[in-house]
């Protein structure tokens, strides 16, 4: 079967004002699944990835693997991937430029094939996100890069070798590319300043299950001893902390009461603490995360994004939407990406009082009554924020640009309907 189904993103319609109640299961993690799928290139035999999210970015990655000679089949909620016949022939340009995470193919293909030619990755409009850190680290491991016809060309004529690498910033993508390149490289690689995000940890645990030797998993210092070969495994993709956070704040914003089944509470502490400051009761249970609004929405005064374990940039837009109705004033400081405030304008059209004080800060006067409008999603997390705003607003909200939302949410309308929301897509 084709790895990428025909699916036309249309519009989402929301009739707001309903308190969310009930329970919903949290899907597998987008940001964990994509680098793990890229890592299957390094293994012999079949990999069965359980709870792999059925989202457009995953379909694009599977299409890329198929274009390289890999074999893909879905089995229920999991996907099985075999990459025994991988080659470095041309990959579909639109699949590369359609998502940022295609960049993790860089380290995997250099390790497997010794060379790569690929388009510059895309998919995001939230900032420049340069790839210098990726290229500098891989150069230390023996890769020579040049640009040809606007594409990245890399060769490792003598193979990849371990190196001591210090990252100037804890870049998730650069850390993942180093790990992917290092697990079968000659010798030992040490990474200082590595990203500690749960998705990096998931990648390392998957690779160790395949036979890799990675120490320091979950810390900012990784040590990787290269091995000759890796084997396929059965591995469960962890649940998505950003999807869980989105539904947590949707419940809070609508003054609801929900159970988020299998929410990864241990990786959501900054998100949970912020929600509690805004008026949520959050309790970890054996089933997941129980969330109940205590009544009035309160301003947290300050929301500042940071690298893990700080407040995630991917949750900033959703928190902004809820802050527009919270009593008091909120300052939002974006420390990761410089173009994360595109959702502010459609929120203003819905009645929010938001002022941008500088390129990295917003001031929000809470207590607004949002009203339904026709608005456009311009990126993934901003689109999710508009859905949350629509749930809180009076009247009907229509959201276009839903192809962005489909990049990270399997079926946000179905999930929210299970919690009682009046929402559907057309």
């Amino acid at each position: 079967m084709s790895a990428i189904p025909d699916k036309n993103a249309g519009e989402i319609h929301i009739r707001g004002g309903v308190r969310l109640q009930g329970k919903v299961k949290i899907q597998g993690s987008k940001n964990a699944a994509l680098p793990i799928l890229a890592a299957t290139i390094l293994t012999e035999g079949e990999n069965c990835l359980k709870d792999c999210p059925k989202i457009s970015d995953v379909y694009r990655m599977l299409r890329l693997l198929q274009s390289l000679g890999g074999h893909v089949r879905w089995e229920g909620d999991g996907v099985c991937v075999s990459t025994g016949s991988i080659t470095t022939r041309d990959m579909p340009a639109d699949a590369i430029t359609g998502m940022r995470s295609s960049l993790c193919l860089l380290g995997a293909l250099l390790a497997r094939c010794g060379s790569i030619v690929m388009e510059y990755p895309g998919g995001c409009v939230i900032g420049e996100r340069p790839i210098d850190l990726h290229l500098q680290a891989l150069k230390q491991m023996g890769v020579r890069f040049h640009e040809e016809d606007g594409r990245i060309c890399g060769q490792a004529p003598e193979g990849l070798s371990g190196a001591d690498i210090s990252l100037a910033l804890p870049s998730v993508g650069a850390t993942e590319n180093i790990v992917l390149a290092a697990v079968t490289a000659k010798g030992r690689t040490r990474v200082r300043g590595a990203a500690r995000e749960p998705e990096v940890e998931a990648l390392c645990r998957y690779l160790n299950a395949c036979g890799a030797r990675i120490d320091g998993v979950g810390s900012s210092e990784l040590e990787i001893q290269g091995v000759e070969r890796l084997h396929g495994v059965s591995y469960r993709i962890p649940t998505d902390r950003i999807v869980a956070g989105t539904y947590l704040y949707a419940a809070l914003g609508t003054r609801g009461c929900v159970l988020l089944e299998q929410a990864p509470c241990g990786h959501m502490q900054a998100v949970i603490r912020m929600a509690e400051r805004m008026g949520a009761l959050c309790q970890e249970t054996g089933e997941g995360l129980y969330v109940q609004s205590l009544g009035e929405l309160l301003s947290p005064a300050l929301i500042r994004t940071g690298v893990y374990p700080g407040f995630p940039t991917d949750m900033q837009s959703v928190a902004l939407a809820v802050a527009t109705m919270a009593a008091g004033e909120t300052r939002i400081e974006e420390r990761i990406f410089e173009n994360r405030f595109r959702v502010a304008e459609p929120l203003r059209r819905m009645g929010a009082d938001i002022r941008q004080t500088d390129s990295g800060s917003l001031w929000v006067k809470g207590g607004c009554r949002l009203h339904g409008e026709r608005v456009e999603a311009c990126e993934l997390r901003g689109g999710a924020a508009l859905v949350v705003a629509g749930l809180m607003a009076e009247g009907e909200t229509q959201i276009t640009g839903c192809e962005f939302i489909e990049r990270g949410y399997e079926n946000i309308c179905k999930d929210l309907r299970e919690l009682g929301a009046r929402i559907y897509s057309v």
Side-chain angles (χ1 to χ4, degrees), residues 67-88:
S67 75
L68 293 165
H71 298 280
V72 172
R73 75 177 190 280
W74 286 96
E75 288 190 354
D77 290 332
V79 66
C80 297
V81 181
S82 300
T83 57
S85 56
I86 287 289
T87 66
T88 55

Side-chain angles (χ1 to χ4, degrees), residues 316-318 320-321 339-348 354 362 376 378-379 381-386:
Q316 179 259 104
S317 297
V318 173
L320 166 61
N339 197 20
R340 216 24 149 169
F341 294 143
R342 297 186 65 175
V343 74
E345 182 53 36
L347 288 175
R348 289 189 193 100
I354 302 171
L362 287 181
E376 181 181 7
C378 296
E379 43 93 7
R381 305 306 174 185
L386 292 177

Side-chain angles (χ1 to χ4, degrees), residues 3 7 13 44 57 59 84 186 211 227 250-251 265 274 282 313 317 330 344 348 392 405:
K7 188 175 182 182
H13 291 239
E44 299 175 359
D57 271 13
Y59 296 142
K186 302 170 189 172
V227 298
C265 301
M274 187 68 70
C282 298
T313 183
S317 297
T330 304
R348 289 189 193 100
M392 300 188 298
I405 299 172

